[in-house]
């Protein structure tokens, strides 16, 4: 699927783009609130500054994607692959990242207040300056 095709259909009211093939797509700065991208392939996609508030990205592959400054507050990213993704300054407040793979992800300055990270893989992730207040950590503990 081409990014411009997705944007046209989204503008027409469609929200379900499950299984979409959007690898290397350019969707920077777009508004895609409440979109369903479950099981979508967004490998190496450019999504910096994109508004994905309340989006559903269950089992989506976002490995290598640029999500810097994106709004993913309240998004569902259960079992999503974010290996090596760039999430610098992203808003993930209240996001559900249960069992997500964030290994080698860059989360510098990201906001994860109240996020669910139970079972998430954070091996070699850069959490410098990340706000984890009230987040449920991979081991089930609540971050102070």
């Amino acid at each position: 699927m081409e990014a411009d095709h997705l944007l046209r259909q989204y503008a027409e009211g469609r929200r379900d783009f499950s299984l979409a093939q959007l690898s290397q797509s350019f969707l920077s700065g777009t508004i895609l609130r409440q979109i369903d991208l479950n099981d979508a392939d967004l490998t190496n996609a450019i999504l910096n500054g994109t508004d994905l508030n309340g989006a559903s990205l269950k089992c989506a592959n976002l490995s290598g994607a640029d999500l810097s400054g994106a709004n993913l507050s309240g998004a569902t990213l259960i079992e999503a692959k974010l290996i090596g993704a760039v999430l610098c300054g992203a808003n993930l407040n209240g996001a559900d990242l249960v069992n997500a793979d964030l290994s080698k992800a860059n989360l510098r300055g990201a906001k994860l207040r109240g996020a669910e990270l139970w079972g998430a893989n954070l091996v070699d992730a850069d959490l410098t300056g990340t706000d984890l207040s009230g987040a449920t950590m991979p081991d089930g503990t609540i971050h102070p």
Side-chain angles (χ1 to χ4, degrees):
M1 170 178 278
E2 297 293 322
D4 59 341
H5 181 67
L6 176 139
L7 294 172
R8 273 195 308 275
Q9 289 191 346
Y10 183 88
E12 292 169 1
R14 180 177 171 196
R15 295 296 179 264
D16 188 355
F17 295 92
S18 296
L19 301 169
Q21 297 296 312
L22 294 159
S23 179
Q24 300 181 5
S25 292
F26 183 83
L27 293 162
S28 179
T30 57
I31 297 172
L32 298 171
R33 294 179 183 156
Q34 305 295 319
I35 194 168
D36 179 347
L37 289 164
N38 293 329
D39 296 297
D41 181 4
L42 292 149
T43 308
N44 298 315
I46 308 298
L47 297 154
N48 58 308
T50 299
D51 187 351
L52 291 158
N53 180 282
S56 186
L57 294 142
K58 292 177 191 170
C59 300
N61 188 350
L62 293 144
S63 296
D66 181 357
L67 292 149
S68 54
N71 179 11
L72 290 150
S73 60
T76 302
L77 293 141
I78 297 169
E79 296 183 15
K81 290 184 182 104
L82 292 140
I83 302 162
V86 179
L87 294 142
C88 296
N91 180 353
L92 291 141
N93 289 335
D96 189 344
L97 292 144
V98 170
N99 293 322
D101 190 346
L102 291 149
S103 57
K104 299 181 183 174
N106 185 343
L107 291 151
R108 284 180 165 261
K111 298 167 194 75
L112 287 142
R113 286 179 162 260
E116 291 289 332
L117 292 160
W118 186 83
N121 181 356
L122 294 171
V123 173
D124 295 326
D126 186 348
L127 299 170
T128 306
T130 302
D131 183 357
L132 292 161
S133 304
T136 303
M137 300 308 289
D139 62 1
T141 60
I142 306 296
H143 195 275

